[in-house]
């Protein structure tokens, strides 16, 4: 059971004004999803299609996919039952959350590497193809909410993408149909960023507080999965 104080701390740190009772129920629901045994996946959880990138890798080329799928085994290592179980759980959580919020795109990313070499790697998602990695640099964070949240550990909520951009907000366009977005950090126990979640909708103002509750709950339960995925650097375990 995740302590109520941890839930309160997350809401306060992310400036999210959500109903605590609803959040507790959502967290317990998602923890139950993790606890339930699941069937063998019917698709490849380690490889997925990605769009070709534009000049310098700064933007995706819409409707043009790379011939080579992205392979998570490059960063997670060889397939093992434990790693597969972790990816199965991530996808089950996405299914459960999206059944509640109806996002047009929803994804989970994990931070890989450190310093200027750090990136966010997409481990699981629902929706159209999108880039697999987001650099964690100040330069990329100027126009990417994913990178900004990955660097700062602070949530970004965009109710209206068009208005956000008109007011000078940076925005990485993966799909021109997206009208609203919310990006939340997944934090370690020491409040350092472990990963992020990103949700997008083709409708402005889609992510109401009632829907934000489920995304906050997802961000709160994810560390117990992400921290137990395989070592990512030099064969060393990641600290909790």
């Amino acid at each position: 059971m995740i302590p109520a104080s941890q839930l309160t701390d997350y809401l306060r740190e992310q400036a999210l004004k959500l109903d605590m009772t609803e959040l507790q129920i959502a967290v317990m629901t998602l923890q139950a999803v993790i606890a339930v045994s699941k069937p063998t996946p019917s698709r490849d959880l380690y490889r997925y299609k990605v769009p070709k990138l534009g000049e310098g890798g700064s933007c995706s080329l819409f409707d043009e996919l790379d011939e080579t799928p992205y392979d998570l085994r490059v960063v997670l290592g060889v397939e093992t039952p434990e790693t597969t179980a972790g990816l199965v759980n991530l996808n089950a959580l996405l299914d459960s959350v999206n059944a509640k919020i109806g996002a047009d795109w929803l994804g989970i990313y994990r931070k890989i590497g450190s310093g200027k070499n750090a990136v966010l790697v997409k481990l699981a998602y629902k929706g159209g193809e999108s880039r697999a990695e987001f650099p964690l640099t100040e330069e990329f964070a100027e126009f990417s909410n994913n990178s900004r949240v990955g660097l700062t550990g602070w949530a970004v909520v965009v109710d209206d993408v068009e208005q956000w951009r008109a007011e000078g907000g940076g925005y990485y366009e993966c799909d021109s149909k997206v009208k609203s977005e919310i990006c939340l950090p997944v934090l370690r126990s020491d409040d350092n960023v472990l990963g992020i979640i990103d949700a997008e909708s083709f409708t402005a103002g889609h992510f109401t507080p009632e829907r934000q509750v489920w995304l906050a709950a997802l961000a709160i339960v994810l560390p117990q999965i992400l921290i137990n995925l395989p070592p990512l650097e030099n064969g060393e375990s990641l600290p909790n």
Side-chain angles (χ1 to χ4, degrees):
M1 176 67 68
I2 296 175
S5 59
Q6 184 175 335
L7 309 187
T8 303
D9 288 345
Y10 187 86
L11 294 184
R12 183 181 65 253
E13 291 168 2
Q14 303 308 320
L16 299 173
K17 297 180 180 179
L18 307 178
D19 184 276
M20 179 56 68
T21 299
E22 292 180 359
L23 180 60
Q24 289 175 319
I25 292 172
V27 166
M28 289 188 293
T29 301
L30 296 185
Q31 287 181 313
V33 170
I34 297 173
V36 173
S37 60
K38 302 167 186 68
T40 302
S42 58
R43 61 185 180 85
D44 188 348
L45 298 178
Y46 290 85
R47 295 186 298 175
Y48 53 78
K49 295 179 180 180
V50 292
K52 288 185 177 180
L53 298 181
E55 185 176 354
S58 61
C59 59
S60 299
L61 297 177
F62 305 122
D63 301 322
E64 191 174 352
L65 297 180
D66 197 306
E67 295 178 359
T68 304
Y70 188 83
D71 195 336
L72 287 172
R73 289 169 294 192
V74 174
V75 293
L76 298 180
V78 297
E79 293 184 36
T80 66
E82 293 76 18
T83 304
T84 300
L87 295 177
V88 167
N89 273 324
L90 294 183
N91 282 275
L93 286 170
L94 289 182
D95 287 338
S96 181
V97 169
N98 214 39
K100 303 292 186 181
I101 70 171
D104 291 293
W105 199 93
L106 180 60
I108 297 169
Y109 298 77
R110 180 173 173 173
K111 181 180 178 181
I112 304 283
S114 59
K116 293 183 178 180
N117 296 321
V119 295
L120 291 170
V121 174
K122 185 175 64 180
L123 299 185
Y125 71 101
K126 293 183 67 66
E129 287 81 10
S130 62
R131 69 180 295 142
E133 297 182 2
F134 281 85
L136 285 175
T137 63
E138 295 290 346
E139 294 78 11
F140 211 86
E142 290 182 2
F143 61 93
S144 165
N145 288 329
N146 285 1
S147 296
R148 183 177 302 110
V149 173
L151 280 176
T152 66
W154 298 334
V156 171
V157 181
V158 180
D159 288 323
D160 188 317
V161 169
E162 185 175 347
Q163 180 180 349
W164 173 270
R165 299 177 79 169
E167 294 175 352
Y171 193 79
Y172 182 92
E173 188 176 277
C174 292
D175 190 330
S176 60
K177 297 189 294 294
V178 173
K179 303 300 181 185
S180 58
E181 177 186 32
I182 180 170
C183 187
L184 301 179
V186 177
L187 301 173
R188 301 178 187 273
S189 57
D190 60 5
D191 283 341
N192 284 321
V193 174
L194 178 59
I196 69 162
I197 58 174
D198 183 46
E200 299 174 340
S201 172
F202 298 158
T203 303
H206 180 81
F207 297 106
T208 61
E210 293 76 16
R211 290 173 173 137
Q212 289 181 27
V213 160
W214 287 95
L215 293 167
L218 178 60
I220 288 167
V221 303
L222 276 176
Q224 61 190 285
I225 298 176
L226 297 187
I227 204 69
N228 288 319
L229 285 174
L232 302 176
E233 296 179 354
N234 302 321
E236 297 176 354
S237 297
L238 292 171
N240 194 348

